[in-house]
Amino acid sequence: TVDNKYGAPGVGTVLTVTPESGYVLDELTVESNGAQIDIHEYEGKYRFIRPSDTAVVNASFKLEKSR
């Protein structure tokens, strides 16, 4: 989920990633005009500064390893 889907450029945006049962987040990227945007993880949430152009969020997941 995104905390402010239509926020203004330069504003921090927080992503909450919730994988399906049995999966974990493998990779999370945010890009704008082909350039990667820095993401900072804190307490299971991911924050980035919204660019002036469209931000594209990509997440991939993998099977959780058995304990």
Side-chain angles (χ1 to χ4, degrees), residues 11-31:
V11 173
T13 299
V14 177
L15 303 172
T16 302
V17 180
T18 308
E20 295 286 330
S21 179
Y23 289 85
V24 295
L25 181 64
D26 184 36
E27 183 176 28
L28 180 67
T29 61
V30 179
E31 297 179 3

